[in-house]
Amino acid sequence: TVGAALEDEGRYEVATEFYEEAATVEPDSAVAWTNLGAARRKIGRYPEALRAYDAALAQQPDFVWALAGRGEVLRMLGRTEACLEPYQRALKIAPDHAFAVLGLAAALSELNRYAEALPMWERALQLRPNSGFASDGLAQCQEALARGR
């Protein structure tokens, strides 16, 4: 799509405008709202991204990308406890959704719940073996557990 091509070029502000228009034209489209949420998230417009994800979920409550995106935005807003539920819902629907696995692993680590985070980091690395974020997260989690945290 045009929006995805703009994002690939790093033109997130323009992509956001494109997705805003798409959501206006198709207000019942969970995909349009999710794309808008993702674009807003990528440029740090978290409250607006959250509203877009909520609009997507109002149309399709089990839309995995909207759930995972909502979880990520809540995490970015520092609402770490609140982000667990959308990540967990996403993973009940799609257990191998790498974005949700990574987000849940990070959130659990941020909450110092390392014993719960460890299998999530391991799963994240299985799903994304070249992810520096996953390998760093796993190493930090293992270190915290070794220190008895």
Side-chain angles (χ1 to χ4, degrees), residues 57-72:
L57 292 168
Q59 298 307 315
Q60 191 175 338
D62 290 332
F63 192 51
V64 174
W65 277 104
L67 288 165
R70 186 174 200 285
E72 184 66 9

Side-chain angles (χ1 to χ4, degrees), residues 103-125:
L104 183 57
L108 290 167
S109 289
E110 289 166 13
L111 292 168
N112 299 321
R113 291 166 56 176
Y114 297 109
E116 294 172 71
L118 182 64
M120 299 307 300
W121 284 120
E122 291 169 341
R123 183 68 185 133
L125 206 50

Side-chain angles (χ1 to χ4, degrees), residues 20-97:
E20 285 170 350
E21 180 65 27
T24 300
V25 172
E26 295 184 69
D28 296 336
S29 170
V31 172
W33 286 111
T34 299
N35 288 341
L36 178 57
R40 287 175 172 170
R41 178 181 48 79
K42 290 173 185 171
I43 57 174
R45 290 168 51 185
Y46 301 129
E48 294 173 64
L50 188 59
R51 286 192 294 275
Y53 286 127
D54 286 344
L57 292 168
Q59 298 307 315
Q60 191 175 338
D62 290 332
F63 192 51
V64 174
W65 277 104
L67 288 165
R70 186 174 200 285
E72 184 66 9
V73 168
L74 289 169
R75 192 170 75 80
M76 293 296 100
L77 288 169
R79 296 172 57 191
T80 314
E81 278 290 340
C83 82
L84 299 178
E85 187 268 337
Y87 284 139
Q88 290 166 336
R89 278 183 54 205
L91 291 172
K92 281 183 184 171
I93 299 163
D96 291 338
H97 194 278

Side-chain angles (χ1 to χ4, degrees), residues 120-137:
M120 299 307 300
W121 284 120
E122 291 169 341
R123 183 68 185 133
L125 206 50
Q126 288 173 344
L127 294 169
R128 294 286 184 265
N130 297 321
S131 170
F133 183 67
S135 60
D136 289 349

